[in-house]
Amino acid sequence: MSGWHFRLRQAPALRVDLRGITPGALAELSAAQVEKLPVSHGNETPALAELFDIAPGEEGVLRFEGNLERFDRIGWQMDSGRIRIEGHAGHYAGGCMRGGELHIEGHAGLLAACEMAGGAIDVKGDVGDFAASTLPGSMDGMRGGTFVVHGNAGERFGDRMRRGTALVHGGAGAFLGSRMVAGTIAVGGRIGAHAGYGMRRGSIVFAEAGAALPEGIRTALTFVQNRAATPVFWALLARDLARHGGLFSGLPSRRIERHLGDLSADGKGELIVCL
């Protein structure tokens, strides 16, 4: 599998759709074929070579250099190889991804990792609203894989999430894990009101020392504290989260407080506060 290095020439006037530009799709193409690949830019379809200087790169890796905040669907439906963005990424980064690795050195826009089913996404900066959630008009959110955000997340992170692990080292906005069906979300910083709204199952871990449930959750009375001991479950979950470092590295040694709900939706999920 060949690899390519794309160096952005200048920011495009409109948004660019990079779906189809994945390691697997480019694996058997020659340099001339890669340069001629069309992408969507408004009503036009310029060739990749009009937007990037293209050169051979590390095998199995697509490396993009420059600010790609106007480039959407990077890694869309990716199933193998690696993509590395040395800058920001646009909307839908890693959407419907099934395998491989996507590394973003900057921020990502809206709907990052939406309906992700496998592989790994690592974002060094922030992500916008509806990350790890559903596509507009769809019913299922993130379905598998590992999604790590080192900065902060916007609202509705993990909406309708069904499977996988999503971590935010920073804080997250309102309605974290809303309508969550299964999977694990862990947050290291502050969270907005209404975390776990409409939650059915799954686990949301609040790792910040001294964190408490937001006022919106306490006043809604839709989560109840559960005092049953779960040492084996917590030992396994904490160890898995600890490998991601940061505030999560100390979780195996900390006690927890569990709150079950969302009772208003007949849910059996849990909010875990680390003490």
Side-chain angles (χ1 to χ4, degrees):
M1 180 183 290
S2 58
W4 300 97
H5 179 191
F6 301 88
R7 182 180 291 106
L8 183 63
R9 290 184 169 182
Q10 62 181 10
L14 304 173
R15 304 200 72 83
V16 177
D17 191 328
L18 284 186
R19 74 177 78 199
I21 308 301
T22 63
L26 275 57
E28 304 300 328
L29 301 184
S30 67
Q33 290 172 317
V34 171
E35 290 174 352
K36 293 178 182 178
L37 286 174
V39 293
S40 174
H41 176 242
N43 294 325
E44 301 177 346
T45 54
L48 270 180
E50 295 182 37
L51 301 171
F52 298 96
D53 291 322
I54 304 174
E58 181 183 352
E59 183 175 354
V61 180
L62 303 186
R63 182 159 67 97
F64 291 87
E65 182 181 338
N67 182 0
L68 270 64
E69 62 185 357
R70 291 186 181 178
F71 289 77
D72 300 332
R73 292 182 173 83
I74 299 172
W76 181 263
Q77 297 182 340
M78 177 180 172
D79 58 12
S80 61
R82 287 183 289 159
I83 296 179
R84 180 173 295 277
I85 311 298
E86 297 179 357
H88 303 318
H91 306 322
Y92 300 98
C96 300
M97 185 171 159
R98 299 185 294 270
E101 300 177 11
L102 173 60
H103 298 271
I104 300 172
E105 296 297 326
H107 305 312
L110 304 174
L111 292 153
C114 58
E115 300 193 14
M116 175 187 183
I121 301 176
D122 189 269
V123 180
K124 296 301 183 186
D126 303 335
V127 295
D129 296 343
F130 287 95
S133 73
T134 64
L135 289 168
S138 184
M139 294 295 292
D140 296 336
M142 182 176 171
R143 304 169 186 180
T146 302
F147 179 34
V148 179
V149 179
H150 294 265
N152 299 312
E155 297 191 358
R156 296 280 186 180
F157 185 90
D159 183 55
R160 293 189 185 275
M161 182 177 176
R162 285 189 168 272
R163 191 174 295 173
T165 301
L167 296 93
V168 181
H169 284 260
F175 293 98
L176 171 75
S178 57
R179 302 180 291 184
M180 189 175 177
V181 178
T184 300
I185 296 174
V187 180
R190 296 290 180 179
I191 60 171
H194 314 303
Y197 174 83
M199 184 180 186
R200 297 283 185 171
R201 291 183 183 274
S203 302
I204 302 179
V205 178
F206 307 135
E208 183 182 45
L213 294 182
E215 184 66 24
I217 300 175
R218 295 200 301 271
T219 57
L221 301 177
T222 56
F223 282 84
V224 296
Q225 187 171 352
N226 184 287
R227 299 185 183 279
T230 56
V232 175
F233 162 77
W234 174 242
L236 293 173
L237 178 58
R239 186 170 59 190
D240 182 62
L241 297 176
R243 64 189 177 91
H244 296 284
L247 189 59
F248 303 115
S249 62
L251 292 185
S253 63
R254 294 171 63 184
R255 295 180 299 109
I256 61 171
E257 184 179 90
R258 300 170 66 226
H259 300 262
L260 306 183
D262 181 344
L263 301 180
S264 66
D266 197 26
K268 299 178 181 180
E270 59 180 357
L271 308 179
I272 300 176
V273 179
C274 297
L275 305 175

